[in-house]
């Protein structure tokens, strides 16, 4: 006899409980899709860093180069909008509804803000022509290099 002691009293072992499978439910609780949360959080931090730099440039003039406005909008659309929104879509497939809601919400927010920034920057005609002609763009090179480095590290 194989007796287990429960609460000081011997009791026989319990038979294994069969797991009931609902129709349409996958056997493996983990999705076959990769976990995209790290790249979504990285995209969120990149866009927040860019937004902070823009705010710093408006609070303290001449601390951020004038050409910084050229990279802000496209990064908000592609990194903040597209990557975070697609991260949210993949979280739906992994049954992470909280993560899906957060990333789809933030992705939509950054996509709308980025599109507004792109339209304001490139199509309003308010920017001086010398900003577009300046080939020296240290912020753009730095951000691109950091993004490529971190993206390849995540892969």
């Amino acid at each position: 006899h194989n007796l287990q002691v429960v609460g000081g009293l011997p009791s026989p072992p319990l038979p294994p409980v069969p797991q009931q499978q609902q129709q349409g439910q996958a056997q493996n609780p983990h999705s076959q899709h990769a976990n995209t949360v790290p790249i979504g959080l990285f995209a969120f931090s990149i866009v927040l860093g860019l937004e902070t730099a823009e705010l710093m440039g408006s609070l303290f003039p001449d601390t951020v180069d004038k050409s910084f406005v050229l990279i802000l909008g496209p990064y908000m659309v592609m990194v903040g909008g597209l990557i975070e929104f697609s991260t949210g879509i993949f979280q739906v497939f992994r049954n992470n509804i909280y993560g899906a809601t957060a990333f789809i919400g933030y992705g939509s927010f950054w996509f709308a803000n980025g599109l507004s920034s792109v339209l304001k920057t490139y199509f309003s005609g308010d920017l001086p022509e010398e900003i577009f002609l300046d080939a020296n763009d240290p912020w753009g090179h730095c951000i691109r290099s950091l993004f490529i480095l971190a993206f390849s590290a995540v892969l």
Side-chain angles (χ1 to χ4, degrees):
H1 277 266
N2 224 356
L3 295 178
Q4 294 179 345
V5 178
V6 177
L9 301 173
S11 65
L14 297 173
V17 178
Q19 293 189 356
Q20 295 178 348
Q21 185 83 18
Q22 292 182 1
Q23 190 174 10
Q25 186 179 12
Q27 288 227 356
N28 186 359
H30 299 290
S31 173
Q32 297 299 319
H33 300 284
N35 189 3
T36 55
V37 169
I39 192 68
L41 290 175
F42 175 71
F44 183 72
S45 65
I46 285 288
V47 174
L48 277 181
L50 291 172
E51 188 74 18
T52 303
E54 183 199 25
L55 180 63
M56 186 173 150
S58 63
L59 290 176
F60 305 107
D62 298 329
T63 56
V64 178
D65 194 54
K66 300 292 183 204
S67 65
F68 181 75
V69 296
L70 297 177
I71 67 162
L72 183 61
Y75 271 89
M76 288 165 92
V77 170
M78 296 304 292
V79 175
L82 188 66
I83 291 179
E84 287 185 39
F85 193 85
S86 58
T87 298
I89 296 298
F90 277 108
Q91 292 309 302
V92 169
F93 294 132
R94 292 179 61 87
N95 291 328
N96 181 3
I97 301 304
Y98 179 75
T101 304
F103 282 115
I104 289 174
Y106 279 123
S108 302
F109 170 77
W110 287 117
F111 188 78
N113 278 352
L115 195 58
S116 170
S117 177
V118 165
L119 292 175
K120 195 182 327 174
T121 301
Y122 290 98
F123 298 107
S124 68
D126 292 341
L127 286 178
E129 192 66 30
E130 62 267 4
I131 290 179
F132 290 106
L133 299 177
D134 187 18
N136 186 14
D137 185 15
W139 277 99
H141 296 303
C142 176
I143 299 296
R144 274 190 295 276
S145 301
L146 283 175
F147 182 75
I148 290 169
L149 174 70
F151 187 75
S152 45
V154 168
L155 292 178

